Amino acid sequence: MKCVLVVALFATIFLGVNGEITNDIWKDCSKKGAHMKIVSLTVTPDPPKKGESLNVTGNFYLDEQVTGGQVEVKLSYGEVPLFHQLIDLCKLLEQVNITCPVKVGPVNNVLVKTKIPQEAPSGNYIGSAIMNDEKEQQLVCIELNFKL
């Protein structure tokens, strides 16, 4: 169940959010010069709710071709670490029907749907996802802080 919960909570993160804080649960931690720029991002419901589908639609722009890379994902329940994993970027993108290499330019109407398990414990969740390309250059970094 831990893996399902992590995927549900981080499905939105992998699209990234670059720029200002977009709402009260997401924060951009990207380095200056990160290569993924978000044009728009819609998350419903916001905030995420137990037992409900989480739908994310994103439009973004890449300023470099991406042929590979990795995503470092961390999730804690309060101060208790739940998850820390390195995930192959191309395998992750395949789950939302994007194949590597991803070319320079717009990538539109990316939809991610998942369900947050009803069994997820109530409380504070803190997490991060850092996406790097094949040259270990940062694409995007997201911090997450919310309550279920």
Side-chain angles (χ1 to χ4, degrees):
M1 176 176 108
K2 185 184 342 181
C3 186
V4 171
L5 175 61
V6 169
V7 170
L9 295 177
F10 277 95
T12 60
I13 289 177
F14 297 123
L15 294 175
V17 178
N18 201 319
E20 298 298 314
I21 295 173
T22 59
N23 62 42
D24 58 350
I25 63 174
W26 305 104
K27 180 180 175 190
D28 177 16
C29 56
S30 299
K31 295 177 182 176
K32 185 176 180 177
H35 295 286
M36 181 180 283
K37 309 296 183 219
I38 294 302
V39 175
S40 66
L41 182 70
T42 304
V43 180
T44 55
D46 180 9
K49 296 179 182 173
K50 292 192 284 187
E52 292 192 20
S53 289
L54 182 64
N55 301 300
V56 180
T57 304
N59 297 306
F60 58 99
Y61 187 88
L62 288 176
D63 68 6
E64 69 168 9
Q65 179 171 292
V66 175
T67 60
Q70 67 179 14
V71 181
E72 180 181 22
V73 180
K74 295 179 184 178
L75 179 65
S76 297
Y77 175 67
E79 298 294 321
V80 179
L82 295 177
F83 189 79
H84 181 212
Q85 185 173 3
L86 295 176
I87 302 168
D88 180 87
L89 177 60
C90 291
K91 288 181 182 177
L92 180 68
L93 291 174
E94 287 172 4
Q95 294 175 17
V96 292
N97 298 317
I98 298 173
T99 57
C100 288
V102 182
K103 296 181 180 174
V104 171
V107 180
N108 294 318
N109 299 316
V110 176
L111 175 64
V112 176
K113 294 174 106 176
T114 191
K115 186 170 183 171
I116 296 179
Q118 185 66 41
E119 300 81 18
S122 297
N124 291 323
Y125 288 82
I126 301 164
S128 65
I130 301 172
M131 187 182 299
N132 293 313
D133 66 13
E134 69 282 356
K135 297 174 270 186
E136 298 185 14
Q137 294 180 347
Q138 192 175 92
L139 295 172
V140 71
C141 173
I142 303 300
E143 291 178 353
L144 171 68
N145 189 339
F146 72 95
K147 283 186 177 185
L148 276 183

